[in-house]
């Protein structure tokens, strides 16, 4: 099962997708795992043994509290997904349990990928971090991949602001299994384009 739309998916199309999607399609023991550190995931042999691959990108997007607040606002309004080939409805609430579709244009059709927010974390004045905001979402039935992804923005002790993407994933459908090298390329492309979208947001007047 997967979800296609020949035109740009409407809110009604996305609601129909989410109504059919059902529950998470990855092992419950990994729910919330992306809230941990990159190093802990890299050392987790069980993840590797079960076929999950780690995808990570961390980019400096500026400095200062103002840039951090703009970066946080970008994430809270799904600005990191608003591109001509992918989007999330910007009114989708960033709260645990909220379901949403990542809509992606692949050649002629659009794909609708159902997910659910697993956690939302905001920290202030933690060790080596002045402020950070992050949320993680897990894939639902009907998503071509199985796994979890975290987006975060962080103001560190040196007053630098970082945008980070961290995910674990593996194929959940025959199409993604056959085309997984292409999927990995698309993940890297998304990381670059998403960073540009956030940078555009934080540098806007």
């Amino acid at each position: 099962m997967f979800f296609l739309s020949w035109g740009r998916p409407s809110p009604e199309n996305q609601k129909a997708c989410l109504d059919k999607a059902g529950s998470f399609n990855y092992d419950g023991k990994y729910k919330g795992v992306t809230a941990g550190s990159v190093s802990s995931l890299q050392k987790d042999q069980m993840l590797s043994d079960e076929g999950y691959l780690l995808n990570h990108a961390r980019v400096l997007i500026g400095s200062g509290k103002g840039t951090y607040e703009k970066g946080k606002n970008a994430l809270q309004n799904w600005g990191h997904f608003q591109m001509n080939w992918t989007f999330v409805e910007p009114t989708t609430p960033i709260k645990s349990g909220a379901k949403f579709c990542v809509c992606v244009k692949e050649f002629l059709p659009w794909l609708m990928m159902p997910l659910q927010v697993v956690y939302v974390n905001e920290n202030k004045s933690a060790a080596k971090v002045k402020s950070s905001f992050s949320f993680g979402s897990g894939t639902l039935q009907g998503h071509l991949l199985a796994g979890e992804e975290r987006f975060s923005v962080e103001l560190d002790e040196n007053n630098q602001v970082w945008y980070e993407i961290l995910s674990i994933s593996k194929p959940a459908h025959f199409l993604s299994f056959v085309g997984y090298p292409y999927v990995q390329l698309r993940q890297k492309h998304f990381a670059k384009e998403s960073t540009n979208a956030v940078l555009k947001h934080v540098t806007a007047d």
Side-chain angles (χ1 to χ4, degrees):
M1 177 178 67
F2 61 98
F3 303 101
L4 290 176
S5 175
W6 292 105
R8 182 182 173 90
S10 66
E12 292 74 21
N13 295 145
Q14 295 171 61
K15 182 179 184 302
C17 167
L18 294 174
D19 287 344
K20 295 177 182 177
S23 59
F24 293 106
N25 68 351
Y26 66 109
D27 197 313
K29 67 187 177 187
Y30 294 127
K31 190 176 177 181
V33 71
T34 56
S37 66
V38 177
S39 59
S40 67
L41 293 180
Q42 290 171 332
K43 294 174 183 177
D44 192 330
Q45 189 60 43
M46 188 178 295
L47 278 173
S48 178
D49 291 344
E50 294 189 13
Y52 290 96
L53 294 180
L54 185 67
N55 180 47
H56 179 235
R58 189 170 188 261
V59 181
L60 182 67
I61 60 171
S63 62
K65 185 68 173 178
T67 297
Y68 167 75
E69 291 296 339
K70 286 185 176 182
K72 174 183 168 182
N73 181 263
L75 265 59
Q76 290 176 322
N77 291 282
W78 301 94
H80 54 304
F81 269 101
Q82 306 308 327
M83 293 167 252
N84 60 3
W85 59 275
T86 184
F87 72 94
V88 172
E89 289 297 329
T91 56
T92 303
I94 305 292
K95 65 178 184 179
S96 181
K99 294 183 178 182
F100 63 95
C101 283
V102 169
C103 301
V104 182
K105 187 172 178 58
E106 290 291 349
F107 305 107
L108 290 178
W110 285 80
L111 289 171
M112 291 179 287
M113 305 288 199
L115 297 102
Q116 182 173 326
V117 177
V118 176
Y119 62 86
V120 181
N121 292 327
E122 185 166 12
N123 299 308
K124 296 181 179 179
S125 300
K128 296 185 178 181
V129 178
K130 288 185 177 180
S131 302
S132 68
F133 174 81
S134 65
F135 71 94
S137 54
T139 54
L140 302 176
Q141 300 291 333
H143 199 295
L144 293 181
L145 298 177
E148 195 174 280
E149 187 166 39
R150 182 189 84 201
F151 296 98
S152 62
V153 62
E154 173 189 296
L155 177 65
D156 70 15
E157 60 184 347
N158 297 313
N159 214 36
Q160 294 181 315
V161 181
W162 301 86
Y163 171 53
E164 186 174 45
I165 303 172
L166 176 64
S167 69
I168 59 162
S169 66
K170 65 179 180 180
H173 189 279
F174 175 75
L175 290 177
S176 54
F177 179 80
V178 172
Y180 202 55
Y182 173 74
V183 171
Q184 290 177 293
L185 287 175
R186 291 294 275 173
Q187 287 177 323
K188 293 183 184 301
H189 178 65
F190 170 77
K192 180 179 179 181
E193 294 286 295
S194 181
T195 299
N196 289 339
V198 173
L199 280 168
K200 183 178 179 180
H201 192 95
V202 301
T203 56
D205 292 334

